[in-house]
Amino acid sequence: MTGPDLSDDVPLLVEQYRIPGLRQIGLMPTTGRNVNAIMVDAQGGRYVLRCYLRNVDHSRIQFQLDFQEHLLGKGIPTADIIATNDGERLVNTGQRTWVLFRQVAGAGYDYANSEQLRNAALCLADLHEAAEDFAEPAVDDDTIPSLRRWWTHGAEDLAELHTMFADRDVAAELAFLDAWLASLTRDFPIEVVDQLPPAWVHADFHGTNLAFVDDQVTGVFDFDVVHRGYRLEDVAHATFCFSREDATSNRIRPELSAAFQEHFNLTDLERAALPAFTVATQARNAARYRIREREGADPAAVLRGHVARMRHLCGLAP
C-alpha cells in the first residue's frame, strides 16, 4: 500500500526548497508508518519527501535526523537530509510533518544473494561502531520498542494484552506468551541480561530498509525506532530478517545464520542469549498493537502472526 493521499500538500512543500523543477512523480510502498513521495528536479535528481504518520513528535523526529546525520558523517551510507530555504529540516502543513531526503540509488535485499547478506552484516557492525559516540539523550515514546521492558514490566504488559484481546479469539496465543515470558525471565534473569553490552539499536534493520548496488550496501534507512538497548537485539533481529528464505518465511537458513555473528565480537553471554533474543524481538506489547489498530490493521490478526513466528522460532510450530 502507499498510504493516504497527501498530494495536496506537495505543491505547498515544493515552495520551501530552492530546487528548480521539483515535482512529485509517484509514491513508494509503505506499511503505514510514513508516506513517501518520490520527487524529481529539473536535472533528473531524485528525492524522497516523507510525511511522518506514526512518529509525530517533533523532538523525536529531530532526534532521528540527528542520529542519521551522525552516521552519515561517520561514513555510513544513508540519505542526505535537504534543508528548506530557511535552513530547517522539518516542514509542517497543518498537523503533518515532512522531511526531504535525497534518494539513494539501489534495490532491496535479494534473499538468494549470500554476498548481500554478508555485506548487510558488515554494514550493521559498522553502524554500531559509528553510533558509539552519538551523545544525544534518547527521545522515546509509545512508538519505540523496549525489549528490556519484558523483564521490568512483563507481568503488567501481559495483563494489558489479556485485557485488550479479551473475546478476540486469541486465548491460545496469550497462553503461549504467558509461558514464553516465564521461561525467558527464568533462563535469563534481569541481573544477567543487564550484563549484555548496551548500544544504540536500529531495531528495524531488514531487507527493505537497505539498498544494494552490485551487492554493496548503498543506503540504510528508517531510523524511526532507534533507541538505547542491548546490542544483541540488532544482531538477533537482523539474523532472522536476512537469513530466512524470503520476506514471508519464518524459517532461518542455518547455513546463513552465522553471518551477523562473524562481524560482531559477541561475548559468551551474547552467544548464549542469541536464540532467546531472536524470539523475544518478535514480541509486542499492547501499546504497539494499539498503534497498528490506529493505522487500520486488525490487531488480533497481527498478534496471531507474531505468535506464529515466535512459536516457529521456538521449534513449537505444528
Side-chain angles (χ1 to χ4, degrees):
M1 74 186 206
T2 54
D5 183 8
L6 304 179
S7 56
D8 288 346
D9 289 5
V10 174
L12 301 174
L13 292 160
V14 165
E15 298 174 359
Q16 303 292 321
Y17 298 93
R18 294 191 181 93
I19 303 177
L22 186 65
R23 60 188 175 87
Q24 181 181 352
I25 60 172
L27 288 170
M28 300 175 68
T30 180
T31 60
R33 181 183 293 172
N34 307 299
V35 170
N36 299 299
I38 305 171
M39 311 292 289
V40 66
D41 65 22
Q43 303 300 316
R46 294 172 71 95
Y47 306 81
V48 174
L49 183 61
R50 166 169 289 190
C51 177
Y52 291 83
L53 299 180
R54 182 180 293 182
N55 292 342
V56 296
D57 179 77
H58 281 194
S59 62
R60 172 66 203 186
I61 299 172
Q62 294 282 17
F63 164 80
Q64 294 166 198
L65 298 178
D66 289 347
F67 187 83
Q68 183 167 341
E69 289 187 329
H70 176 86
L71 294 183
L72 192 63
K74 290 296 190 78
I76 301 301
T78 187
D80 288 315
I81 302 164
I82 310 300
T84 68
N85 301 335
D86 298 326
E88 300 294 332
R89 299 183 300 187
L90 275 59
V91 182
N92 296 309
T93 57
Q95 300 298 313
R96 302 180 185 122
T97 302
W98 300 76
V99 177
L100 184 66
F101 301 91
R102 195 176 305 278
Q103 189 173 34
V104 175
Y109 177 59
D110 177 359
Y111 288 85
N113 190 322
S114 59
E115 187 64 21
Q116 287 188 3
L117 182 148
R118 285 189 287 271
N119 286 328
L122 177 60
C123 179
L124 182 61
D126 289 343
L127 185 157
H128 272 250
E129 182 177 357
E132 285 181 356
D133 61 349
F134 182 69
E136 288 191 24
V139 179
D140 296 338
D141 57 25
D142 66 353
T143 70
I144 309 303
S146 170
L147 194 69
R148 188 176 186 272
R149 186 177 169 88
W150 287 115
W151 280 268
T152 61
H153 295 77
E156 174 184 328
D157 284 351
L158 281 177
E160 194 173 0
L161 284 172
H162 278 270
T163 300
M164 178 178 181
F165 289 102
D167 303 320
R168 300 290 290 269
D169 195 27
V170 291
E173 284 78 7
L174 294 172
F176 169 84
L177 290 173
D178 290 339
W180 161 76
L181 184 61
S183 175
L184 176 70
T185 55
R186 181 192 66 238
D187 294 344
F188 295 96
I190 184 64
E191 59 269 19
V192 173
V193 169
D194 277 347
Q195 296 176 38
L196 293 167
W200 287 108
V201 180
H202 183 284
D204 206 20
F205 194 88
H206 58 71
T208 57
N209 279 341
L210 271 68
F212 294 85
V213 171
D214 295 331
D215 299 338
Q216 300 298 313
V217 177
T218 55
V220 183
F221 314 112
D222 282 356
F223 301 97
D224 290 12
V225 290
V226 165
H227 62 278
R228 290 297 293 177
Y230 305 111
R231 177 178 68 170
L232 190 60
E233 296 176 50
D234 263 353
V235 177
H237 183 64
T239 296
F240 169 76
C241 289
F242 287 87
S243 301
R244 54 184 174 163
E245 296 169 322
D246 56 50
T248 63
S249 173
N250 291 331
R251 191 183 83 85
I252 293 176
R253 292 171 288 179
E255 69 277 13
L256 300 178
S257 63
F260 283 86
Q261 299 177 53
E262 292 170 359
H263 290 289
F264 285 85
N265 185 24
L266 297 184
T267 66
D268 290 342
L269 177 57
E270 284 179 306
R271 292 183 184 278
L274 179 58
F277 268 57
T278 304
V279 178
T281 53
Q282 303 299 326
R284 305 289 187 272
N285 63 13
R288 304 280 288 170
Y289 288 114
R290 282 194 292 269
I291 291 169
R292 296 297 302 274
E293 189 170 32
R294 290 199 300 266
E295 294 171 350
D298 176 1
V302 178
L303 173 67
R304 291 188 194 100
H306 286 149
V307 171
R309 179 173 293 168
M310 294 172 71
R311 288 178 60 87
H312 190 98
L313 292 171
C314 288
L316 301 175

